[in-house]
Amino acid sequence: MIATVSRHAHFNAAHRLHVEAWSDAQNKAFFGACNNPLYHGHNYELIVALTGPIDPISGYVYDMKVLGDQIKEHVESKLDHKNLNLEVPEFAQRNPTAEHIAAVIHGWLRPHISPELKIKVTLYETPRNFVEFND
Ligand code: NI
């Protein structure tokens, strides 16, 4: 029997979306408020979903307390209350879009969770806009 278990977390962070090769006018037109040269914040909502077999003994797919601790250690500690462009090396050369942040979060968690479990990262940048990144 296969099931999916999910853990909800959140973090606050600042960013700026900008493409060096584009003019300031192009950047502003494309990224709008997210291009603000002085940065701006988002309240990110994160859902990490693990899909895999239900252990016949415990009845769990995964221990949610462990998952919560792993998200704290490997994700929240690196992103919460940070300027993503300036303080997170993964975004020094890469635009901190929700797409890229979700992919980076997936990459941080993947080595710590058994390969038999599929990981799906869902990241809300605003209540209406979210991105999904899967294995
Ligand atoms: Ni933004």
Side-chain angles (χ1 to χ4, degrees), residues 4-9 46-51 61-76 109-110 112-113 117-121:
T4 299
V5 297
S6 300
R7 175 84 182 184
H8 195 168
L46 170 66
I47 299 163
V48 177
L50 304 182
T51 300
V61 171
Y62 201 77
D63 186 329
M64 301 305 273
K65 166 80 166 64
V66 170
L67 182 57
D69 289 345
Q70 288 175 314
I71 293 170
K72 268 202 187 79
E73 182 182 351
H74 302 298
V75 179
E76 288 175 32
L109 290 172
R110 187 66 276 183
H112 303 285
I113 291 166
L117 298 172
K118 285 200 161 87
I119 304 178
K120 181 168 93 171
V121 170

Side-chain angles (χ1 to χ4, degrees), residues 13-17 31 33-36 39-42 44 96 125-126:
H15 76 165
R16 182 193 190 201
L17 302 182
F31 293 118
C34 280
N35 182 242
N36 180 5
Y39 306 95
H40 62 278
H42 289 283
Y44 291 95
E125 188 172 79
T126 72

Side-chain angles (χ1 to χ4, degrees), residues 72-90:
K72 268 202 187 79
E73 182 182 351
H74 302 298
V75 179
E76 288 175 32
S77 68
K78 294 175 177 173
L79 300 180
D80 194 30
H81 288 79
K82 301 288 176 158
N83 179 313
L84 301 180
N85 303 71
L86 301 181
E87 297 181 272
V88 182
E90 282 78 357

